[in-house]
């Protein structure tokens, strides 16, 4: 539903502006605003998608608008009637107003009430444009063109019964430029509503009047006589005409609605002849023909024109004032284009006139130059005849030179062919040299690999030799330690065997004095003693 989002974009921007910090708003704040908008549209849970929308926790206005367009407003039906769209706009504007009202109501001296300021705010958002800020292209501002602001101010002044000064407003608009909300409200309050004689109720009625015109799309309202359906009598009603309907009430308070007649592009209005002072006309709809009347002929013409206009603009999803604004902008653009074209045409004519004068002066100068050139040409003719003879002679010389050049060219071609042949031989020799060099590089690479392998084997043999040397040295040290240990043991053994040898000597001496007559047992003892002595002698020798 892009039309609805387009209509409420300015209101949503003001709410976003009041929540933002450094041109971005945190998702938690936007979820509250989105939930309220979704509730008004009978869409629930649309704010939950913000958690998964974008990776950052803050959104710019472009990102938030993209989310609303694709996740919220796209869920609405594509075909929605104009009254429903107008009701949605009112509810969304109220929600946005609750968010930003504190900042938008802040001013030094208040003249309008809060309700009137809200209605002016809706009118401002209706007529304003969302444009990029001139100081910062990354952010937007909502501004009102001076011409559109002048229409609102003029309507307000007329409703208050004051005189409208168009020249004064043009001077004010040219000095201010584009109107932002604060400047728009300040101008209305300070310039046109600060008169102490203006009653507050008159201000409220004036704001309500222009609110009905711009927001409610009321084309015309007033008393009309209507012929009854059952009783053919003319009864007076308070009628309110909008692009899509004609609603009639019992009184101008518009509290007791008596009926509503739908108006579309198939309706027509025709004047009719009636009796008495009532000026009658008929509203012809596809379902029924209604008869109305006014007190005078002028009012009838006004109502007929208004009804025809309502029937013409009844179709589509945009209201009458939005179309009127687009038409005014188109007309303004056409006027500006026409002015630019007129200025361009005048400038072109001025440039053409100046160019014609300059061309005439140039022609006069050219005539004088032609006379001088004529004399010069006569002199030149004589010179050319002389040059022609020289040229003829030069052509003959040129033919001779060309013949020489042809011969030189032929020799050059022969030399070039010889040079190409030599170049081919040189390329062939270079190719053979490259092949030999490549083979040499391969052989050299193999030799280097063998050299590296030999170096590796030599390092391994050196490591093996160092290891064997270390083992030999360890064995020699072990043998030395063994010899020292054996020598020490031999010395210790001799020291330990000296007492035993002395004892053995004494034993021998004792045996020599033993008697010769012995028994067998004694003989056995002597043999054992001898063996013991031999063992002792062997130990002593060791």
């Amino acid at each position: 539903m892009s039309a609805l989002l387009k209509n409420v974009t300015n209101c949503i921007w003001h709410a976003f502006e009041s929540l933002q910090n450094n041109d971005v708003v945190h998702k938690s704040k936007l979820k509250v605003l989105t939930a309220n908008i979704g509730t008004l549209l009978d869409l629930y849970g649309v704010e939950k998608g913000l958690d998964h929308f974008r990776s950052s926790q803050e959104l710019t206005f472009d990102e938030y608008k993209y989310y609303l367009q694709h996740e919220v407003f796209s869920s609405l039906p594509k075909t929605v009637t104009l009254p429903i769209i107008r009701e949605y706009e009112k509810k969304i504007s109220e929600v946005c107003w609750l968010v930003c009202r504190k900042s938008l109501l802040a001013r030094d001296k208040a003249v309008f009430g809060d309700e009137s300021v809200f209605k002016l705010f809706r009118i401002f958002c209706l007529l304003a444009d969302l444009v990029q800020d001139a100081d910062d292209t990354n952010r937007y501002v909502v501004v009102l063109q001076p011409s559109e602001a002048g229409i609102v101010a003029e309507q307000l002044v007329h409703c208050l019964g004051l005189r409208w000064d168009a020249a004064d407003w043009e001077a004010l608009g040219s000095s201010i430029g584009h109107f932002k909300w604060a400047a728009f409200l300040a101008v209305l309050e300070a310039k046109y509503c600060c008169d102490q004689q203006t009653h507050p109720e008159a201000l409220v009625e004036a704001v309500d009047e222009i609110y009905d015109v711009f927001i409610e799309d009321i084309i015309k309202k007033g008393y009309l006589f209507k012929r009854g359906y059952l009783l053919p009598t003319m009864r007076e009603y308070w009628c309110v005409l909008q692009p899509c309907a004609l609603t009639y009430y019992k009184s101008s308070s518009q509290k007791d609605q008596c009926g509503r007649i739908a108006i579309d592009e198939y309706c027509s209005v025709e004047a009719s002849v009636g009796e008495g002072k009532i000026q009658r006309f008929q509203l012809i709809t596809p379902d029924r023909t209604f008869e109305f009347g006014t007190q005078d002929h002028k009012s009838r013409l006004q109502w007929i024109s208004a009804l025809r206009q309502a029937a013409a603009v009844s179709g589509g999803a945009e209201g009458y004032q939005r179309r009127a604004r687009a038409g005014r902008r188109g007309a303004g653009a056409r006027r500006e284009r026409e002015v630019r074209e007129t200025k361009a045409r005048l400038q072109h004519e001025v440039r053409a006139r100046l160019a014609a004068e300059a061309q005439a002066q140039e022609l006069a100068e050219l005539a004088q130059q032609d006379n001088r050139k004529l004399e010069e040409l006569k002199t030149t003719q004589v010179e050319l005849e002389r040059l022609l003879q020289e040229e003829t002679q030069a052509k003959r010389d040129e033919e001779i030179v060309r013949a020489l050049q042809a011969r030189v060219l032929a020799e050059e071609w022969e030399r070039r062919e010889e040079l190409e042949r030599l170049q081919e031989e040189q390329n062939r020799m270079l190719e053979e040299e490259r092949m030999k060099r490549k083979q040499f590089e391969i052989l050299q690479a193999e030799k280097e690999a063998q050299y590296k392998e030999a170096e590796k084997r030599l390092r391994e043999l050196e490591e093996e030799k160092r290891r064997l040397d270390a083992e030999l040295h360890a064995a020699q040290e072990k043998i030395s330690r063994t010899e020292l240990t054996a020598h020490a043991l031999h010395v210790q053994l001799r020291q330990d065997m000296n007492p035993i040898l002395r004892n053995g000597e004494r034993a021998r001496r004792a045996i020599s004095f033993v008697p010769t007559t012995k028994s067998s047992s004694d003989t056995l003892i002597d043999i054992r003693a001898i063996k013991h002595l031999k063992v002792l002698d062997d130990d002593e020798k060791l």
Side-chain angles (χ1 to χ4, degrees), residues 23-42:
D23 300 333
V24 294
V25 179
H26 199 272
K27 286 183 178 180
S28 58
K29 297 179 181 180
L30 294 177
K31 287 175 69 175
V32 177
L33 179 61
T34 308
N36 289 328
I37 294 175
T39 303
L40 294 176
L41 301 176
D42 292 332

Side-chain angles (χ1 to χ4, degrees), residues 3 66 130 132 181 220 225 275 297 384 404 435 475 489 539:
Y66 179 86
L130 182 66
Q132 289 183 339
W181 162 251
K220 186 173 178 59
F225 292 100
E275 299 178 356
H297 180 66
L384 286 175
L404 294 174
M435 293 298 295
L489 288 175
D539 291 336

Side-chain angles (χ1 to χ4, degrees), residues 81-263:
T81 60
L82 185 59
I84 296 176
I85 292 179
R86 188 178 290 119
E87 186 65 22
Y88 282 157
E89 291 179 11
K90 181 179 179 182
K91 292 179 179 179
I92 295 174
S93 299
E94 289 175 352
V95 169
C96 295
W97 175 254
L98 289 176
V99 176
C100 60
R101 67 189 301 273
K102 184 177 180 180
S103 60
L104 298 184
L105 287 174
R107 56 196 189 278
D108 296 334
K109 186 177 180 182
V111 177
F112 295 110
D114 292 352
E115 185 65 24
S116 297
V117 174
F118 170 66
K119 292 181 178 179
L120 290 173
F121 170 74
R122 288 204 61 191
I123 296 172
F124 176 83
C125 291
L126 169 70
L127 301 177
D129 296 316
L130 182 66
V131 298
Q132 289 183 339
D133 193 353
D135 299 330
D136 187 2
T137 57
N138 294 326
R139 65 188 306 269
Y140 293 92
V141 292
V142 176
V143 295
L144 188 62
Q145 299 292 335
S147 59
E148 299 293 330
I151 293 173
V152 179
E154 183 179 4
Q155 292 275 356
L156 181 64
V157 168
H158 289 163
C159 292
L160 292 175
L162 303 176
R163 186 178 65 85
W164 171 251
D165 190 351
D168 182 46
W169 176 262
E170 289 180 0
L172 178 64
S174 61
S175 62
I176 295 178
H178 299 305
F179 286 86
K180 295 184 179 180
W181 162 251
F184 174 70
L185 183 61
V187 168
L188 293 183
E189 288 186 333
K191 189 171 182 63
Y192 300 108
C193 303
C194 62
D195 191 358
Q196 297 180 356
Q197 296 179 358
T198 305
H199 199 273
E201 293 182 357
L203 292 176
V204 174
E205 292 178 359
V207 173
D208 292 342
E209 184 71 22
I210 62 175
Y211 181 83
D212 290 339
V213 172
F214 287 98
I215 303 300
E216 299 296 337
D217 276 341
I218 295 178
I219 300 175
K220 186 173 178 59
K221 57 184 176 179
Y223 283 103
L224 280 177
F225 292 100
K226 178 181 176 297
R227 183 183 181 89
Y229 182 69
L230 298 177
L231 298 176
T233 57
M234 301 295 287
R235 185 175 177 181
E236 192 174 29
Y237 294 96
W238 176 261
C239 297
V240 177
L241 176 62
Q242 291 175 298
C244 56
L246 174 65
T247 309
Y248 49 96
Y249 304 87
K250 289 184 178 180
S251 63
S252 59
S253 61
Q254 301 183 191
K255 293 181 179 180
D256 299 326
Q257 181 176 337
C258 298
R260 186 174 182 274
I261 303 172
I263 297 177

Side-chain angles (χ1 to χ4, degrees), residues 405-432:
Q405 286 180 347
R407 187 178 63 185
V408 171
L409 185 61
E411 294 177 355
E412 183 179 358
W413 275 107
E414 292 177 357
R415 291 179 182 178
R416 180 174 294 180
E417 290 176 354
E418 182 68 18
L419 181 62
E420 289 178 353
R421 184 180 60 77
L422 293 174
Q423 188 175 5
E424 289 178 356
E425 292 180 357
Q426 184 180 5
N427 292 334
R428 181 174 53 78
M429 294 175 65
L430 288 174
E431 184 65 26
E432 293 177 355

Side-chain angles (χ1 to χ4, degrees), residues 3 156 309-310 354 371 497:
L156 181 64
Q309 185 179 11
L354 295 175
N371 293 330
M497 290 298 293

Side-chain angles (χ1 to χ4, degrees), residues 176-438:
I176 295 178
H178 299 305
F179 286 86
K180 295 184 179 180
W181 162 251
F184 174 70
L185 183 61
V187 168
L188 293 183
E189 288 186 333
K191 189 171 182 63
Y192 300 108
C193 303
C194 62
D195 191 358
Q196 297 180 356
Q197 296 179 358
T198 305
H199 199 273
E201 293 182 357
L203 292 176
V204 174
E205 292 178 359
V207 173
D208 292 342
E209 184 71 22
I210 62 175
Y211 181 83
D212 290 339
V213 172
F214 287 98
I215 303 300
E216 299 296 337
D217 276 341
I218 295 178
I219 300 175
K220 186 173 178 59
K221 57 184 176 179
Y223 283 103
L224 280 177
F225 292 100
K226 178 181 176 297
R227 183 183 181 89
Y229 182 69
L230 298 177
L231 298 176
T233 57
M234 301 295 287
R235 185 175 177 181
E236 192 174 29
Y237 294 96
W238 176 261
C239 297
V240 177
L241 176 62
Q242 291 175 298
C244 56
L246 174 65
T247 309
Y248 49 96
Y249 304 87
K250 289 184 178 180
S251 63
S252 59
S253 61
Q254 301 183 191
K255 293 181 179 180
D256 299 326
Q257 181 176 337
C258 298
R260 186 174 182 274
I261 303 172
I263 297 177
D264 54 21
E265 62 270 20
Y266 302 105
C267 297
S268 60
V269 186
E270 296 180 358
S272 59
V273 180
E275 299 178 356
K277 297 181 179 181
I278 297 177
Q279 303 291 323
R280 301 173 185 264
F281 61 92
Q282 292 180 345
L283 174 61
I284 303 171
T285 65
D287 299 329
R288 181 184 164 189
T289 299
F290 298 90
E291 187 173 0
F292 294 94
T294 60
Q295 293 287 354
D296 52 36
H297 180 66
K298 181 179 179 180
S299 298
R300 182 175 70 171
L301 292 177
Q302 292 175 351
W303 274 102
I304 290 175
S305 176
L307 286 168
R308 288 175 177 171
Q309 185 179 11
V313 300
S314 59
E318 289 191 349
Y320 169 68
Q321 289 298 329
R322 294 186 187 277
R323 296 185 182 184
R325 182 189 65 169
R328 288 194 299 269
R329 291 183 180 177
R334 286 194 298 273
R335 286 196 299 271
E336 291 179 359
R337 187 168 60 253
E338 291 175 356
V339 170
R340 288 196 299 269
E341 291 176 355
T342 302
K343 289 183 179 179
R345 188 167 57 254
L346 291 175
Q347 292 176 358
H348 179 71
E349 292 177 356
V350 170
R351 288 195 297 269
R353 182 172 57 82
L354 295 175
E357 293 177 354
Q359 187 177 5
Q361 186 176 0
E362 290 177 359
L363 289 174
E365 293 177 356
L366 289 173
Q368 295 177 359
Q369 293 176 2
D370 290 341
N371 293 330
R372 288 195 299 270
K373 287 182 179 181
L374 185 59
E375 296 296 330
E376 293 175 358
L377 287 174
K378 291 180 179 178
T379 306
T380 305
Q381 184 178 4
V382 177
E383 184 68 18
L384 286 175
E385 290 177 354
R386 183 181 63 79
L387 292 175
L388 182 59
Q389 294 177 357
E390 293 179 355
E391 183 180 3
T392 304
Q393 184 62 35
K395 284 183 178 180
R396 296 193 188 98
D397 297 339
E398 182 181 2
E399 290 177 356
I400 297 172
V401 171
R402 283 184 179 179
L404 294 174
Q405 286 180 347
R407 187 178 63 185
V408 171
L409 185 61
E411 294 177 355
E412 183 179 358
W413 275 107
E414 292 177 357
R415 291 179 182 178
R416 180 174 294 180
E417 290 176 354
E418 182 68 18
L419 181 62
E420 289 178 353
R421 184 180 60 77
L422 293 174
Q423 188 175 5
E424 289 178 356
E425 292 180 357
Q426 184 180 5
N427 292 334
R428 181 174 53 78
M429 294 175 65
L430 288 174
E431 184 65 26
E432 293 177 355
E433 186 68 23
R434 279 197 294 268
M435 293 298 295
K436 292 180 181 179
R437 184 175 181 180
K438 186 174 181 181

